[in-house]
Amino acid sequence: MSLKSKLHDIKEKYKGTKMAPAFNALHTFLYLPNETTHNGTHIKVADDLKRTMNTVIMALVPCLIFGMFNAGYQHYLALGEIEAANGFFGASFWSFDNLILGAWQVLPLVIVSYGVGLAVEFLFAVIKGHEVEEGYLVTGMLVPLIVPIDIPLWMLSVAVIFGVVIGKEVFGGTGMNILNPALTIRAFLFFAYPTWMSGDKVWVHDAVNRDQLIAAGENVDAISGETLLGFYAKSGQELTIAGTNGGSEIITTYGDRAADLYSYWDMFWGLIPGSVGETSKFLIIIGALFLIFTKIGSWRIMLSTIIGALAMGLIFNGVVGAGWIQESSKFFGLMNVPFWQHLIIGSILFGAVYMATDPVTAAQTNKGKWIYGFLIGFISIMIRVFNPAYPEGVFLAILLMNVFAPTIDHYVIQGNVKKRMKRLKVKTA
Amino acid sequence: MSKDIRIKKGLDIKLVGEAEKTTKPVKASSFYVIKPEDFHSIIPKMLVKVGHKVKAGQAIFHSKLDEALLFPSPVSGEIAEIVRGAKRKILEIRILADATQEHHDFGKKEVAKMSGDEVKAHLRATGCWPFIKQRPYDVIANAEKSPKAIFVSGHNSAPLAADLDYVLAGKEAELTAALTALTKLTDGNVHVATKKGGNSPLANVAGTVSHTVSGPHPSGNVGTHINKIDPVNKGEAVWTVTAQDLVIIGEVLLTGKFNATRTIAVTGSQITNPAYVTAIAGASIKDLVASNINLDNTRIISGNVLSGKQQAEDGALGYYDNQVTAIPEGDDYEFFGWNKPIFNKVSTSRAFTFSWLTPNKKFDLNTNTNGEHRAFVTTGTYEEVFPLDIYPMQTLKACMYADLDEMEALGMYEVAPEDFALTEFVCVSKQPHQKIIREGLDLMLKEIG
């Protein structure tokens, strides 16, 4: 008896029982089911939700792999053990040591994210008697990419359980949720464990650990892992860097230090500290092109988010240009960033391509997608500039617009409804 | 006033098994089956009993709500069986056909001299009224209400559909008579849309407004034409008649005989030699396909693959259908079918599906759903194949939560289930769109009327 018929027999045996959804979920991963059409259309397109989700995962894989290398690279670079890589193909970046360290840190995040998230999904499917839905396949991949590298795994587990249950299952599962589950998880982490989600210690592997060791009196070098947004937010302030290996102290400003450390190309290629998978703008753009080509991601949302971000950036540049804001203002640093540079610092591109485009939580009408995306970009940069505690607003902006997406759709659809009403009035008049 | 309608949003599904343009002789069926479910929302009241002899055109039942709405026997013969289901619902009326057909004589009419009411009364008396359907609700037209316009589609763009230019050739006299009759039934226009560049006998008939259509399916759907030419508003009705039924109406008017003979396209990859045959409505499909079919794990459909009805091997041709399709059943598992690259199935995405590389390839699709039923997730895919000025997903959802006000506002008066056939085909979540719309329309019919 072949595997196919054996599995078929098990499926028939457990049909209608509580465990059927759990078995079917595993079975359908191996085999496309033998279900046929009844009435209605007798033929169907080749695509199903699994294929759709799988396509998004494939678009994320380059970011994940890059994130592993970058985790190792940032760590060794901060320790001064390797030279800064020169461009995307720099030898000191694509080294085996970087990968080993990165994989050792990142893979547990992936495993915990999928393990915990899918366990919750299976549990709900079995309790509620519906099939296990595919939504978490993408969420589970996104989560490790948008958290700091050293986040404790128990924290991640708690956040994933919260995100899946409160963000999705209470609404009825995939397709019914209002908020993007991955961002719900991110937001939970941010508000529940803020010290682990912001500051200059969490973005490079071992920085927190070393800080604690130093506080305990051990003799190790500190690692600082400020993100670029952090640098820019404080760009006018003075910065003192303790000399390492007997070097003398350097006194500079945050802004100058950022310029010393990273070139625009570093930001574009992604050779900077940040959440695991969001640093490489280059790979995100490749992923975006892939999603647009496969027609899985909405180019309308991606494009309009970028337009919105640029528009807000231009307005801030205008404010600086007009002299309405003093250099001493705490908002000056980020306002002064040239508008186009907002796209290569922070996670606006990652958010636009992989988060804002989630079809369930985004606006659903084509016109609505333009408005929705534009406002995400616009508000992201606004929060980025005006939020002194944590200079990144993308996830907050997307969550906010998730809530407003149905309202946007409502007004777009009212346009269509009004057209119909007008037609009726013309007729009866 | 001729207009050209160009449809951009849509999808031509190219399948193996297109009918060759020859009409092959087949032996006439000995059994004919009339299914009341073909006449949606009609509750039949029998006029004949088992054993009664009927002539072709003689009424065998009428609507429970309207005694004058008659449903005729397509053939002369003996009522062999009335098959009933749960609660004694009539499922089938089986008629054993005579060897030589006798037609009830309704008398020849000169349409040009008839008034609207006379035409209406004559069509009802001859059993031709069920050919006239109405929007809203996609049911047999309410004769008491005057339609603002009547629409006839002279183009069938569904997959493997019968080529109307071919099957209507030589029927000019009947078509003209029937269209003239239709012009008497409305104060508005009779709109006839034909394929651009085609050679349809329906084009430019005096008294009608001719349009040409081009573009992918559903450019031939009458619902598309209504939406582009004169959409239905609340309180209004338009009537529709299919082109081949016009021939039957025309023949009744010209000769006095009810002759429900059509040229049927026998299509699909399981048919050995796809071609046309002539048959009478309700004919046994077995006789139509004879030995021309591969019956090994085959789905037989009366109608096209998008909106037709599944039939058993010994099933019958639907009352309105002019096509029989046979495709393979897809009741098998496919190893890693959800993530491996796919070349042999149609897809509108490019997610490792490669039908976009071969736009002219003819596919041999089976009945597998290619995935499991899910909640609505993706957006924007329906809009790509849906040319009506209506929001398809929002309309479907309004039907699912039965919000009558919203259904009305979103344009349910304008649609029929077949308009949602393509969105159902492309649906990643495998939702039964046509069923959702049908149930929505039924609810509106019941609550609003």
Side-chain angles (χ1 to χ4, degrees), chain A residues 3-4 7-8 11-12 24 27-55 58 131-134 137 174-176 290 292-296 358-360 363-367 369 409 412-413 416-417 419-420 423-424 427, chain B residues 148 230-234 236 299 301 305-306 308-310 327 329-340 342 345-353 356 365-372 374-379 384 389-391 393-394 397 409-411 414 421 424-426 428 430 434:
Chain A
L3 177 65
K4 186 167 87 175
L7 287 172
H8 177 75
K11 177 176 147 187
E12 294 298 320
N24 286 350
H27 188 194
T28 53
F29 263 96
L30 213 51
Y31 285 102
L32 188 71
N34 64 344
E35 225 169 284
T36 58
T37 54
H38 297 291
N39 272 320
T41 62
H42 297 269
I43 53 176
K44 299 262 187 193
V45 277
D47 310 70
D48 66 351
L49 208 51
K50 279 198 179 65
R51 180 170 291 269
T52 306
M53 297 294 178
N54 192 37
T55 309
M58 280 193 238
E131 297 292 328
V132 178
E133 286 156 338
E134 288 82 3
L137 294 184
T174 302
M176 314 288 184
F290 176 72
I292 292 169
F293 176 77
T294 54
K295 298 199 197 172
I296 299 296
D358 169 18
V360 176
Q364 299 179 339
T365 54
N366 285 341
K367 248 186 235 167
K369 284 174 185 168
D409 278 337
V412 170
I413 291 164
N416 181 272
V417 169
K419 210 175 350 177
R420 204 162 280 118
R423 209 167 64 202
L424 183 63
K427 289 271 174 177
Chain B
K148 71 163 178 173
D230 191 2
V232 189
N233 297 308
K234 186 182 180 179
E236 295 175 343
R299 166 82 50 102
I301 303 156
V305 286
L306 292 181
K309 279 191 181 142
Q310 182 176 354
I327 56 171
E329 285 283 5
D331 56 350
D332 198 5
Y333 297 93
E334 198 177 339
F335 189 63
F336 276 153
W338 61 279
N339 60 2
K340 69 178 183 191
I342 285 184
K345 292 177 188 171
V346 174
S347 165
T348 49
S349 80
R350 302 194 189 105
F352 293 90
T353 50
W356 56 276
L365 299 185
N366 62 34
T367 63
N368 193 287
T369 52
N370 296 320
E372 293 172 294
R374 290 286 184 266
F376 288 106
V377 171
T378 57
T379 59
E384 278 181 27
D389 185 17
I390 285 171
Y391 283 100
M393 188 158 92
Q394 285 71 19
K397 285 185 177 175
L410 287 171
E414 303 169 40
E424 181 174 341
F425 172 74
V426 302
V428 168
K430 316 293 176 188
Q434 295 183 91

Side-chain angles (χ1 to χ4, degrees), chain B residues 125-388:
Chain B
T126 53
C128 285
W129 198 259
F131 293 131
I132 302 175
K133 291 183 133 190
Q134 68 162 42
R135 305 263 173 122
Y137 312 132
D138 194 36
V139 290
I140 292 170
N142 178 356
E144 276 152 35
K145 221 168 166 189
S146 172
K148 71 163 178 173
I150 298 179
F151 285 82
V152 175
S153 172
H155 174 36
N156 197 344
S157 54
L160 301 175
D163 182 348
L164 288 179
D165 291 3
Y166 175 72
V167 300
L168 296 177
K171 305 284 187 191
E172 286 81 357
E174 287 87 349
L175 291 170
T176 309
L179 285 172
T180 312
L182 291 186
T183 57
K184 312 252 173 182
L185 293 176
T186 173
D187 298 332
N189 290 321
V190 175
H191 296 278
V192 180
T194 56
K195 189 178 169 185
K196 193 179 182 183
N199 179 27
S200 174
L202 281 165
N204 304 315
V205 173
T208 66
V209 182
S210 287
H211 306 266
T212 56
V213 289
S214 56
H217 184 59
S219 62
N221 276 9
V222 70
T224 311
H225 306 156
I226 297 172
N227 190 269
K228 298 290 170 197
I229 296 167
D230 191 2
V232 189
N233 297 308
K234 186 182 180 179
E236 295 175 343
V238 304
W239 291 355
T240 68
V241 187
T242 71
Q244 285 205 287
D245 295 344
L246 283 180
V247 176
I248 302 172
I249 295 173
E251 201 171 336
V252 166
L253 294 166
L254 292 176
T255 66
K257 286 177 186 165
F258 182 90
N259 176 13
T261 304
R262 298 192 184 100
T263 305
I264 312 285
V266 179
T267 61
S269 62
Q270 297 292 81
I271 300 289
T272 325
N273 294 307
Y276 290 86
V277 297
T278 43
I280 300 173
S284 160
I285 288 178
K286 223 179 210 171
D287 294 321
L288 295 185
V289 296
S291 58
N292 195 10
I293 189 171
N294 171 12
L295 280 175
D296 181 29
N297 207 16
T298 296
R299 166 82 50 102
I300 300 168
I301 303 156
S302 174
N304 63 53
V305 286
L306 292 181
S307 306
K309 279 191 181 142
Q310 182 176 354
Q311 298 292 332
E313 239 173 78
D314 58 351
L317 185 66
Y319 195 75
Y320 293 100
D321 294 331
N322 65 347
Q323 184 182 5
V324 171
T325 312
I327 56 171
E329 285 283 5
D331 56 350
D332 198 5
Y333 297 93
E334 198 177 339
F335 189 63
F336 276 153
W338 61 279
N339 60 2
K340 69 178 183 191
I342 285 184
F343 294 90
N344 60 353
K345 292 177 188 171
V346 174
S347 165
T348 49
S349 80
R350 302 194 189 105
F352 293 90
T353 50
F354 292 95
S355 61
W356 56 276
L357 279 175
T358 51
N360 292 317
K361 183 181 168 179
K362 290 181 174 173
F363 291 87
D364 182 6
L365 299 185
N366 62 34
T367 63
N368 193 287
T369 52
N370 296 320
E372 293 172 294
H373 182 259
R374 290 286 184 266
F376 288 106
V377 171
T378 57
T379 59
T381 42
Y382 305 149
E383 282 82 350
E384 278 181 27
V385 296
F386 192 77
L388 313 189

